[in-house]
Every structure is written in C-alpha cells, then in structure tokens.
Amino acid sequence: MEGECRAPQARSSGLPAGGAGVESPGGDAPLSGSSGSSALLQAEVLDLDEDEDDLEVFSKDASLMDMNSFSPMMPTSPLSMINQVKFEDEPDLKDLFITVDEPESHVTTIETFITYRIITKTSRGEFDSSEFEVRRRYQDFLWLKERLEDAHPTLIIPPLPEKFIVKGMVERFNDDFIETRRKALHKFLNRIADHPTLTFNEDFKVFLTAQAWELSSHKKQGPGLLSRMGQTVRAVALSMRGVKSRPEEFMEMNNFIETFSQKINLIDKISQRIYKEEREYFDEMKEYGPIHILWSASEEDLADTLKGVASCIDKCCKATEKRMSGLSEALLPVVHEYVLYSEMLMGVMKRRDQIQAELDSKVEALTSKKADTDLLTEEIGKLEDKVECANNALKADWERWKQNMQNDIKSAFTDMAEENIHYYEQCLATWESFLTSQTDLHLEEASEDKS
C-alpha cells in the first residue's frame, strides 16, 4: 500500500493560494486540545437551528475552533529536498504549480465530452521536465481520485465536483456549468499538490505528465475488473460485520463528522436559497429604472426627480450584481465543497473500520483455532501494523483538514460580511446623495419664490 505509513508531513500548513479562502487557508488560529463529549461536539460544530427557515447568529464561543484535536508526530518525506521540516517563521516553499484552463468540447459518433488543459510547472527533481501540458476529461480526474483512495485509504482525498447536476436541470455543456466545473477541478488538483503525502503519489505524477495514450496504458496496469469486484465484495462483507471496539478518538471523530455533515448541508441549502432570493430581487429591481424614465416623460415637473431615482436604482442594481457575483464565486463554492468533503470523510471512516474489521476477524479466527495458527499469527501481525499505519495517517490528516476547513469557512464568511457592509454603505450613500440634492433644490426654489 503505497505511502500508507507515511503520515502527512509538516512542510505544508495551508492550501494553494486562491480567492476568498477557497484554496489558500492560512493557519491563523491553533486548535484547542479539549477532550469533550459527543454532546459537546454537537453543540459546538455550527450553531444553526434544525429548522432551515430560522437562522441563528454564530456565537464567538461556539466555533469550529474548539473541537477535539490529535497531535501525532508528522515525519517528513525524503522524496523532495524542499519537503523538509521548517521553522515557524520560514515561508512555505512551493515547488509544484498547476493550472486548469481552456475547456474544449469534443464530439464523436459515440459521445460528446469536455477536456481541460492542465499546465504543470515544477522544480522537483523527480520530474523529467520543469513544465508539462496535457488535456484531461472528467473520467480521468475520477480515475485519479480512485487511485489515491486505493493507495491511501485513510487520508482525506479532496472531493471532485459531482458528475451530474440534477438540481435545476442545468445543461451539462452550458458555459456557466463548464466554468464552475473547471474551477472545481483546478482546486481539486491544487489541493492534492499541497497535500504533504498525496503530492508525491506516482499516479498523480502520471496524471500531470503523461500524454493521452500513455495515461491510457498506465490505467490498464491497475487492478483488473474481477480483482476490484473481489475487493469490493470483501469490503462490503467486512463493513456489514462491523467493528467490535472502535477506539474512543475515532468515535469522537465520527460524531464530529455526522454533526458537521448535518450542519454544512443545512448551510448549503440556506446559502442557495439566499442566492436565489437575491437573484429574484435583482431581476425585479432592474425593471424599476426604465419605468421611472418612462414616467419622467409624462411628468414635466417631476422629470429631473424621476430621472434621479432611476439613476440611483441603476447604481444599486450594479452594486447588487457585484454582491451576487461575490456570493456565487466566494461563499457558495466553499460551502458546497465541504458538503462533498463531509461525504468523503464518511468514506474514510468506513475504510478505516474495514481495515480494523479485517484484523478483528483474524483475531477471532485465531482464538477459535478455525485455521492454521502460524499463518494466522503472521497475518495478524501484518494487519496490526496496517491498522496502526491507517490510524496514524488519519489522525494526522484529520488535524490538517480540520484547520484548513476552519480557515476556509471563516475566510468565506468574513469576506461575505465585509462585502455586505460595503454594499449597504454604497447603496445608502447613493440615496443620501440624491436626497441631499433634492433638499438643496427645494431650498433654492423656496428662496426664489420669496424673492
């Protein structure tokens, strides 16, 4: 199992740079080490009422920063000279830069699909060149994700965007949909690039560098269909059997994931609803300006005033459109990504449990002497090492993921709050300026009447 015993390393404290904290959460607050019960975990995750019609104000004391933490030692990998333990005041050294751009439609007699250009620039010695350019389609990204999960079952693999968008029946080849997917795929690869372990995965390197025919050949070298089916059946059987005694720290982790999943899904629904209502408000407001212009043509005495109102409405429309753009590009993608992350975390926990269940079954067989004792003893020793590696990898990656999540969500909501403040200040200033001009005009007219 490639790299499974290598815990996430200390060289990368954040994620790739990006807008609104989407790809570049810094480490701005340490995690606390309180132990707390599962009830405390549920109370502290995201303080939203269960009824999605009621929004609760987030308390400063009830934050995601107060969760339980694990602090395993995180050794560095010798695979790259840059990947060394650094002092706290030393800046991050980034040696892998990935860009996903230029989506291109391909039409064949069998199917229609989109490919994306991937440009990779690197200074790593294990790469044959410093720059690569390839094209990949969605199913190639899906293959990479599956290979990473196979090689590192208890590391938290970044989520891919959904294959299909059913909600709203969005056209799969609509420009907005393609651009949204491009951004998500760009983020997916850069999340991997900045992961201290996944970044050195051989399949990831092949994905970034191999031409189409080379990638196709490499895919065929993986486990065959029957082998994968066998592994799936075995995993299902072990998951049905269950784990007899999951360690307490993983019980707490599982409780966190369940509560987090519930709350982040609720926030996602509320955010989508807010955006929808904002869109409806914007569409209505766009009609008011032209109406006031038409009205001014039939009201000679009010013409200037009505045109002034129309101008104010137009300025507020532009400000509203900008705020909507910020909402759709900064907040909504971050929240939805963590909805997908919550699903990924549940999968990670299942895979951890499957590894432990396999060990439990062998120990049970040894106890009842249902098979060759020497062979079972050897298998149990290997499985014990496997479970320990899986547990250590998950605990270390959990801390990394949790801090990134906290930074991402904090940054997204802070940026959105600042955007809202600026928006309302801008609209208020527009109308106050208009009212001041009207007051001055009335004073001038009153002065002229008196004279």
Side-chain angles (χ1 to χ4, degrees):
M1 190 180 303
E2 179 189 342
E4 183 56 34
C5 289
R6 188 172 69 239
Q9 303 139 13
R11 69 106 179 162
S12 179
S13 59
L15 297 174
V22 173
E23 295 174 9
S24 180
D28 62 344
L31 297 170
S32 69
S34 58
S35 58
S37 64
S38 61
L40 179 60
L41 284 169
Q42 295 187 7
E44 288 181 341
V45 180
L46 289 177
D47 192 14
L48 275 179
D49 190 87
E50 292 301 321
D51 184 357
E52 69 177 65
D53 292 328
D54 297 325
L55 283 172
E56 296 288 343
V57 178
F58 285 168
S59 165
K60 291 182 180 179
D61 295 327
S63 72
L64 287 165
M65 310 300 285
D66 300 326
M67 298 301 103
N68 270 356
S69 65
F70 307 97
S71 302
M73 295 298 292
M74 297 193 293
T76 57
S77 166
L79 294 179
S80 172
M81 290 299 294
I82 291 180
N83 188 37
Q84 303 295 329
V85 175
K86 60 183 180 62
F87 296 105
E88 290 184 2
D89 58 347
E90 182 182 344
D92 284 336
L93 298 175
K94 188 173 174 67
D95 58 1
L96 187 62
F97 301 86
I98 303 172
T99 303
V100 178
D101 61 12
E102 293 190 8
E104 184 179 297
S105 178
H106 299 262
V107 181
T108 69
T109 55
I110 302 175
E111 60 180 339
T112 299
F113 59 92
I114 306 294
T115 63
Y116 302 85
R117 184 177 72 165
I118 301 173
I119 296 177
T120 302
K121 297 181 180 181
T122 181
S123 58
R124 293 185 186 174
E126 58 263 34
F127 284 81
D128 298 333
S129 177
S130 61
E131 185 170 343
F132 299 88
E133 179 178 323
V134 297
R135 296 200 72 87
R136 298 287 183 256
R137 56 186 297 184
Y138 180 83
Q139 69 178 28
D140 297 325
F141 286 86
L142 189 60
W143 167 83
L144 173 62
K145 173 178 168 290
E146 291 172 349
R147 293 292 291 167
L148 291 174
E149 289 178 351
D150 288 343
H152 312 279
T154 56
L155 291 185
I156 302 171
I157 313 297
L160 277 172
E162 297 96 335
K163 187 171 184 179
F164 298 108
I165 304 294
V166 178
K167 188 176 181 180
M169 301 300 290
V170 176
E171 169 57 43
R172 189 156 65 100
F173 299 111
N174 174 281
D175 288 343
D176 290 339
F177 172 77
I178 292 174
E179 177 59 14
T180 299
R181 170 167 284 186
R182 182 200 67 78
K183 290 178 180 178
L185 295 176
H186 174 89
K187 188 190 303 182
F188 169 74
L189 292 183
N190 279 279
R191 295 277 201 196
I192 297 172
D194 273 274
H195 191 286
T197 299
L198 299 179
T199 188
F200 298 108
N201 179 274
E202 184 62 26
D203 290 308
F204 181 48
K205 176 185 172 185
V206 170
F207 178 89
L208 296 177
T209 62
Q211 294 304 311
W213 66 270
E214 293 175 305
L215 181 64
S216 178
S217 176
H218 183 76
K219 286 181 179 180
K220 294 176 182 177
Q221 297 174 11
L225 177 61
L226 293 177
S227 175
R228 293 199 304 270
M229 288 178 62
Q231 292 172 5
T232 302
V233 170
R234 185 180 181 187
V236 170
L238 289 171
S239 62
M240 293 292 290
R241 184 179 185 277
V243 178
K244 290 184 176 180
S245 56
R246 180 190 285 162
E248 179 63 24
E249 57 193 347
F250 294 110
M251 289 294 294
E252 293 178 355
M253 193 182 294
N254 191 69
N255 290 338
F256 179 97
I257 293 169
E258 290 178 355
T259 308
F260 176 79
S261 176
Q262 176 187 1
K263 298 302 182 182
I264 200 68
N265 273 278
L266 178 56
I267 291 176
D268 186 47
K269 290 179 182 178
I270 294 171
S271 300
Q272 295 288 347
R273 189 180 68 202
I274 290 172
Y275 181 77
K276 180 182 177 183
E277 292 175 355
E278 191 80 6
R279 167 63 66 180
E280 292 171 352
Y281 169 71
F282 172 72
D283 290 340
E284 288 186 7
M285 188 164 56
K286 282 195 303 184
E287 299 176 6
Y288 293 159
I291 288 174
H292 281 78
I293 294 295
L294 290 173
W295 187 6
S296 69
S298 60
E299 295 282 356
E300 185 176 345
D301 293 340
L302 296 175
D304 290 340
T305 300
L306 292 172
K307 288 178 181 178
V309 170
S311 176
C312 290
I313 292 173
D314 181 59
K315 291 178 181 177
C316 289
C317 265
K318 291 177 180 177
T320 302
E321 188 172 24
K322 183 179 178 182
R323 183 173 68 154
M324 287 171 52
S325 176
L327 184 66
S328 65
E329 293 179 7
L331 181 63
L332 297 184
V334 174
V335 172
H336 191 67
E337 183 188 19
Y338 279 99
V339 169
L340 300 179
Y341 256 126
S342 69
E343 298 170 3
M344 291 292 299
L345 288 167
M346 292 178 183
V348 170
M349 288 300 296
K350 286 181 180 179
R351 290 193 290 273
R352 193 219 71 85
D353 288 348
Q354 287 164 6
I355 295 171
Q356 184 179 334
E358 186 176 3
L359 172 61
D360 291 345
S361 67
K362 297 293 184 182
V363 172
E364 184 178 315
L366 179 62
T367 303
S368 58
K369 297 182 180 179
K370 293 180 180 178
D372 182 86
T373 303
D374 293 337
L375 180 61
L376 274 178
T377 302
E378 182 180 352
E379 289 181 357
I380 287 172
K382 292 179 180 178
L383 282 171
E384 286 175 341
D385 292 340
K386 185 177 179 181
V387 169
E388 184 177 3
C389 286
N391 288 347
N392 289 337
L394 176 53
K395 286 189 289 186
D397 213 23
W398 173 253
E399 279 307 306
R400 177 186 178 278
W401 174 85
K402 195 162 58 171
Q403 181 159 357
N404 288 335
M405 174 271 292
Q406 293 160 358
N407 293 331
D408 276 356
I409 292 179
K410 177 182 177 181
S411 178
F413 279 113
T414 300
D415 290 348
M416 205 65 241
E418 291 176 352
E419 180 68 27
N420 283 338
I421 291 171
H422 177 70
Y423 166 76
Y424 287 114
E425 286 178 342
Q426 190 175 355
C427 291
L428 180 62
T430 297
W431 287 108
E432 284 182 340
S433 176
F434 171 71
L435 290 174
T436 300
S437 68
Q438 292 299 301
T439 301
D440 293 343
L441 180 62
H442 287 313
L443 291 175
E444 289 178 7
E445 290 175 350
S447 177
E448 290 176 359
D449 291 342
K450 288 180 181 179
S451 60

